[in-house]
Amino acid sequence: MGLLIFLLRRLVAAVPAVVALVVATFVIMRVLPGDPAVFFASSPVPTAEETAYVRHKFGLDRSLPEQLLIYFEDVGSADLGMSFTTGRPVLTELMQRLPASLELAMVALLLALAVSIPLGVAAAIWSGSPLDHIARIVSSIGVSMPTFVTGLMLTYVFFLRLGLAPEPLDRIDMFITAPPRVTGFLLIDSTLSGDWMALQSAAGRLVLPSVTMAIFVLSPLTRMTRSAMLGVLSSDFVRTARAMGLSDRTVYVHYALRNALLPVLTTIGIVFSTMLGSNVLVERVFGWPGIGNFALNALLASDYAPVQGFVLVMGLLLVAINLAIDVAYGLADPRARRTS
């Protein structure tokens, strides 16, 4: 019962954030330069009658409060407008490309966690040792370079010079048929269909972009893991466990690490949100057909509806991620349910 009340509270707390997000996307579209009526007119130099017709068609001749209510209705009915560059609904375009962005971010996050958590734990256990200094240096390298610089360097070394990586273009080789779409995640769809050639191609093209993103988020994850472990290792219950003669593995894994992962869990949510918002540069460098690349192309073409849809979808994803992290934190630490 306490868990259910906790979940309901977090859902209610997320409602104002969603409303504020919708209002923010509405305001962004109104402050962008240019006249949308002139932009959406059929002729290159529209007349006053054509401009007035477009304004009436899109409701631009109404007051801002009325336009905001119409926008809320459109969002509530999952209508994000049309993309004039593709001629398809914006929501359809975004949902078709969203799995590509999520797959890239999730694989990158898993790679970063596989390195940062063991590295942070080891740096905390042997604090002040050469391993600790190496961990600090490694975690500082990624955050000191922009993702597009890291991506270009990896592409130059492993594709152009060594020839070990495939060309940075698309999610799968153009000569290989993509598996039937089930989830949109090529790794999962290839496995479900038993298409091992497609799986190999999709996994190979994921390596460089996911490594690029993983390097960028190594620093906060490693530093938080190290800091949390240092705090837990100096706590009373760890000293008691050692005094009872428990093995180092039991103390470090079952007592210290389990408690140290609580703040790391919050950091994972923040990092994953950052990855989703900043993956547009990685997608651009590697020709990745995600929503970030799609939104950037739309912005360059002055196609503002996809940009508005991108901001809205990304904002909703961030709200959902933060909600999931709050719920996971409550499940991991029952004390959080009583204080939330």
Side-chain angles (χ1 to χ4, degrees):
M1 192 64 182
L3 178 60
L4 180 60
I5 295 175
F6 173 76
L7 295 176
L8 291 176
R9 286 179 178 175
R10 305 319 270 172
L11 287 173
V12 172
V15 172
V18 174
V19 174
L21 174 64
V22 175
V23 174
T25 55
F26 173 81
V27 173
I28 289 174
M29 286 301 296
R30 296 307 182 273
V31 300
L32 287 175
D35 188 352
V38 176
F39 179 77
F40 285 107
S42 57
S43 58
V45 184
T47 62
E49 290 78 11
E50 290 176 329
T51 303
Y53 171 76
V54 174
R55 287 183 182 277
H56 179 73
K57 179 180 179 181
F58 289 98
L60 299 176
D61 55 346
R62 303 187 182 186
S63 63
L64 287 179
E66 289 179 312
Q67 294 183 41
L68 180 59
L69 289 177
I70 294 174
Y71 182 59
F72 267 103
E73 293 177 0
D74 292 339
V75 172
S77 60
D79 182 9
L80 301 183
M82 298 287 293
S83 171
F84 86 93
T85 54
T86 63
R88 301 175 63 190
V90 171
L91 185 61
T92 301
E93 296 284 358
L94 293 176
M95 291 300 102
Q96 183 176 357
R97 291 169 170 81
L98 181 59
S101 298
L102 289 177
E103 185 175 46
L104 174 59
M106 288 178 178
V107 171
L109 181 62
L110 291 176
L111 290 176
L113 291 176
V115 176
S116 61
I117 291 182
L119 191 61
V121 170
I125 294 175
W126 293 285
S127 178
S129 66
L131 178 62
D132 187 15
H133 295 295
I134 292 175
R136 296 182 185 183
I137 295 173
V138 170
S139 63
S140 300
I141 292 176
V143 76
S144 63
M145 292 191 302
T147 52
F148 69 90
V149 174
T150 306
L152 290 174
M153 290 178 57
L154 292 178
T155 301
Y156 175 76
V157 173
F158 291 98
F159 171 62
L160 292 177
R161 302 297 298 178
L162 301 179
L164 298 177
E167 67 275 11
L169 183 64
D170 213 339
R171 302 171 65 191
I172 195 171
D173 192 285
M174 62 182 299
F175 298 106
I176 297 178
T177 304
R181 185 183 178 93
V182 179
T183 63
F185 295 82
L186 283 183
L187 297 182
I188 298 177
D189 292 348
S190 301
T191 304
L192 292 177
S193 62
D195 191 342
W196 309 121
M197 185 175 295
L199 177 62
Q200 181 180 1
S201 177
R205 289 175 183 264
L206 259 174
V207 172
L208 289 187
S210 60
V211 168
T212 299
M213 296 185 69
I215 291 175
F216 181 70
V217 299
L218 270 179
S219 178
L221 292 172
T222 303
R223 291 178 181 273
M224 178 55 69
T225 304
R226 179 184 180 275
S227 177
M229 278 292 294
L230 284 175
V232 173
L233 288 175
S234 61
S235 61
D236 293 336
F237 69 89
V238 171
R239 285 195 293 267
T240 302
R242 284 173 171 168
M244 293 175 61
L246 298 180
S247 64
D248 290 341
R249 176 183 177 85
T250 301
V251 172
Y252 292 144
V253 176
H254 293 283
Y255 288 91
L257 182 58
R258 289 181 62 181
N259 287 274
L261 285 180
L262 292 176
V264 175
L265 188 63
T266 303
T267 306
I268 290 174
I270 298 173
V271 164
F272 189 61
S273 302
T274 304
M275 293 169 69
L276 286 176
S278 61
N279 63 356
V280 58
L281 296 176
V282 178
E283 291 182 4
R284 195 66 174 178
V285 170
F286 291 96
W288 198 259
I291 59 175
N293 203 3
F294 171 67
L296 182 59
N297 290 332
L299 183 62
L300 295 175
S302 298
D303 189 4
Y304 292 143
V307 178
Q308 178 179 255
F310 169 77
V311 174
L312 181 61
V313 170
M314 290 304 300
L316 292 175
L317 277 176
L318 299 188
V319 172
I321 291 171
N322 290 330
L323 179 61
I325 293 298
D326 287 342
V327 172
Y329 202 99
L331 293 174
D333 187 0
R335 294 172 298 178
R337 307 175 198 171
R338 295 192 293 267
T339 58
S340 300

